[in-house]
Amino acid sequence: MEKCKKFLVFISMMLITGFTASAFDFMVDGLCYAFIDGKSVYLTYKYEEAEDYYSDYSGDIIIPQTVTYNGKTYTVTSIGWYAFSQCRNMTSVTIPNSVTYIGESAFQDCTGLTSVTIPNSVTYIGSYAFNGCSGLTSITIPNSVTTIGSYAFGGCSGLTSVTIPNSVTSIGDYAFSGCSGLTGSLTIPNSVTSIGSFAFNVCSGLTSVTIPNSVTSIGSYAFERCSGLTSIKVASGNTKYDSRNNCNAIIETSTNSLIAGCKNTTIPNSVTEIGDGAFKGCSGLTSVTIPNSVTSIGHAAFSGCSGLTSVTIPNSVTSIGGSAFYGCSGLTSITIPSSVTSMGNSAFEGCSGLKTVNWNAKRIADFTSNTGAFKWQESITTFNIGNGVEKIPAYLCYGLSNITNITIPNSVTYIGSYAFNGCSGLTGSLTIPNSVTSIGGYAFSNCIGLTSVTIPNSVTSIGHGAFKGCSGLTSVTIPNSVTSIGGSAFYGCSGLT
């Protein structure tokens, strides 16, 4: 039996609206209400016994400004959390001027909703309020609204335009995430001081964004995967961010970090950091020049830039974040300069067109998992280790099955664990130079094409499983210098005679 369930008044809502707990609820004309005080009520949801946060409202809903119950008239001031959530057959809703608050998930996943009229009385649009309303094509946010909550319009893929009024001071995390139908220009009004993380991510139809001088906080990945962006501008009066030299990017002035760019970005010489996700999903980016001022490239900075065909990493760069160039399938070669001292896992994973790697990093920290930097990239056929490299980090060439030859220069002293594990395409002889003192665990495991290996007198330890599964090896000479051989070091070397 359908019941009218009293809406729970959560603490945050009480803080915002001054709601107090009510002991009663009621239904009038098919809509459910709960008391706020002796004069006002809010819309709540109706549900079946087996399903919470569920309503079956359908068609065109007109919310009254007042409602009479037991002979007393109450003003409808709020739409409570989940009030119309998942009403997929509801096509439109009219909200009266008495309503000041639209609560969390109030219309979430109302996929049939095509029209909403929000009155000038509303000051707050809660988190997830219209999330997943994919049928909405336009929304007018009135001048009374000051806050757009997290995910408020997330997943509203049918939205083609939105106007953010001058009253809004904050745009929450993921507020317009996935609004892929938004096209053209987006101007953030001068009233806005903060733009949340991922606020406009996957808004692939946007072509330009203008940030006013009022904005003092922009969250990470705010414009991630906005692949259509050609222009990003920051107002000249902004003291926190700028678009210096018409670079089409947002640069945080205090750190000189480029935090958001687009396919037409020119990175100025003053930039020292390319922030996390700065160009993530810019599939239209075909080439980029990283100036000598840059010292670090952030996590996923160029991830998903599938159109990128070339990139030069300057000698000034010391750090490349994890997944920095993930999925850059257009890259055919990459040179890692000697200046790089740290690189995150999967930095070049998914670069399916990558054929040649020139590795010059002298002493880089070990990778921490078998993703390494290139994760089983079968496209790579040439891996050049430059003179001057002192350390081959763990997992560097893990699973690169199509590289056919490796030359380890005399400068190398350390070969990390799993460094060449699974490089089954390596054939013939391998000479380890006299500079090497230790061979890490599983360093050459499953290199089935190797027929011989020369271990120099400088080596003192051979790690666990170092040559495990090298079935092509026919002979090995272990020098007098070796004092430690790990378990299974030559296990499965069935060709040894």
Side-chain angles (χ1 to χ4, degrees):
M1 178 180 175
E2 187 182 76
K3 295 183 178 180
C4 187
K5 183 178 181 181
K6 171 168 168 50
F7 179 73
L8 297 177
V9 182
F10 293 91
I11 293 175
S12 61
M13 190 172 183
M14 292 170 66
L15 291 173
I16 293 169
T17 64
F19 281 10
T20 56
S22 172
F24 306 97
D25 50 45
F26 60 92
M27 180 187 289
V28 175
D29 295 333
L31 297 178
C32 288
Y33 301 89
F35 295 118
I36 297 173
D37 51 35
K39 296 180 180 179
S40 56
V41 293
Y42 60 92
L43 262 295
T44 183
Y45 54 89
K46 53 186 176 181
Y47 78 113
E48 299 296 333
E49 288 287 355
E51 298 184 61
D52 277 354
Y53 304 134
Y54 170 79
S55 294
D56 62 355
Y57 300 121
S58 62
D60 299 329
I61 300 295
I62 299 174
I63 300 171
Q65 185 163 325
T66 61
V67 62
T68 301
Y69 174 70
N70 282 346
K72 187 172 181 179
T73 300
Y74 300 89
T75 303
V76 180
T77 60
S78 302
I79 300 172
W81 291 12
Y82 300 96
F84 297 93
S85 177
Q86 301 182 55
C87 293
R88 295 183 175 92
N89 294 318
M90 186 170 67
T91 54
S92 71
V93 62
T94 301
I95 302 169
N97 279 319
S98 57
V99 170
T100 61
Y101 177 97
I102 299 175
E104 179 177 315
S105 301
F107 298 94
Q108 184 175 3
D109 293 328
C110 294
T111 53
L113 192 61
T114 58
S115 174
V116 177
T117 301
I118 301 175
N120 279 319
S121 54
V122 172
T123 60
Y124 180 91
I125 299 175
S127 300
Y128 296 90
F130 296 92
N131 183 270
C133 293
S134 54
L136 276 179
T137 56
S138 66
I139 189 78
T140 300
I141 302 170
N143 280 318
S144 54
V145 172
T146 59
T147 302
I148 300 173
S150 300
Y151 296 89
F153 297 95
C156 293
S157 55
L159 274 181
T160 56
S161 66
V162 65
T163 300
I164 301 171
N166 277 314
S167 55
V168 171
T169 58
S170 66
I171 300 171
D173 296 345
Y174 295 91
F176 295 92
S177 172
C179 293
S180 54
L182 287 178
T183 57
S185 301
L186 173 69
T187 299
I188 308 293
N190 272 315
S191 55
V192 172
T193 59
S194 66
I195 300 171
S197 298
F198 299 92
F200 295 93
N201 83 316
V202 202
C203 291
S204 52
L206 287 179
T207 56
S208 68
V209 172
T210 302
I211 307 295
N213 54 26
S214 58
V215 171
T216 57
S217 174
I218 300 175
S220 57
Y221 301 94
F223 299 97
E224 177 204 10
R225 288 190 284 173
C226 292
S227 55
L229 273 181
T230 58
S231 173
I232 301 177
K233 297 295 182 186
V234 178
S236 58
N238 195 305
T239 58
K240 182 70 181 290
Y241 304 102
D242 63 33
S243 293
R244 65 193 68 167
N245 303 325
N246 296 313
C247 61
N248 284 313
I250 301 173
I251 300 169
E252 190 170 355
T253 55
S254 60
T255 60
N256 284 319
S257 176
L258 192 155
I259 63 169
C262 65
K263 60 185 180 182
N264 284 345
T265 297
T266 300
I267 303 175
N269 279 315
S270 51
V271 169
T272 58
E273 300 174 0
I274 298 174
D276 295 347
F279 292 91
K280 186 175 181 181
C282 289
S283 54
L285 186 68
T286 56
S287 65
V288 62
T289 300
I290 301 174
N292 280 316
S293 55
V294 172
T295 60
S296 68
I297 298 171
H299 179 87
F302 294 94
S303 175
C305 293
S306 54
L308 193 60
T309 57
S310 67
V311 62
T312 300
I313 301 173
N315 277 316
S316 56
V317 172
T318 60
S319 172
I320 299 174
S323 302
F325 294 90
Y326 184 99
C328 292
S329 54
L331 288 177
T332 57
S333 67
I334 193 72
T335 297
I336 308 301
S338 59
S339 56
V340 174
T341 57
S342 69
M343 183 182 295
N345 291 323
S346 302
F348 294 91
E349 182 182 343
C351 295
S352 55
L354 195 59
K355 296 180 179 179
T356 302
V357 176
N358 299 306
W359 185 269
N360 297 310
K362 288 184 178 180
R363 293 192 65 82
I364 199 169
D366 284 335
F367 295 102
T368 57
S369 75
N370 63 10
T371 58
F374 304 97
K375 193 180 181 180
W376 312 325
Q377 211 97 314
E378 294 183 356
S379 61
I380 298 174
T381 56
T382 303
F383 201 100
N384 299 316
I385 301 174
N387 290 320
V389 173
E390 299 173 11
K391 176 182 180 180
I392 297 174
Y395 298 101
L396 177 62
C397 295
Y398 188 98
L400 303 189
S401 58
N402 286 322
I403 57 174
T404 56
N405 180 60
I406 282 289
T407 300
I408 301 173
N410 283 319
S411 52
V412 172
T413 61
Y414 171 94
I415 299 175
S417 300
Y418 296 90
F420 299 96
N421 182 294
C423 293
S424 55
L426 288 177
T427 57
S429 300
L430 173 69
T431 299
I432 297 173
N434 277 313
S435 52
V436 174
T437 59
S438 66
I439 300 171
Y442 299 93
F444 296 94
S445 178
N446 297 315
C447 292
I448 58 177
L450 289 179
T451 56
S452 68
V453 62
T454 301
I455 301 172
N457 280 315
S458 56
V459 171
T460 58
S461 66
I462 298 172
H464 187 98
F467 295 94
K468 182 180 178 180
C470 292
S471 55
L473 284 179
T474 56
S475 67
V476 172
T477 300
I478 299 172
N480 287 328
S481 57
V482 172
T483 58
S484 172
I485 300 175
S488 301
F490 295 94
Y491 181 88
C493 294
S494 55
L496 281 177
T497 56

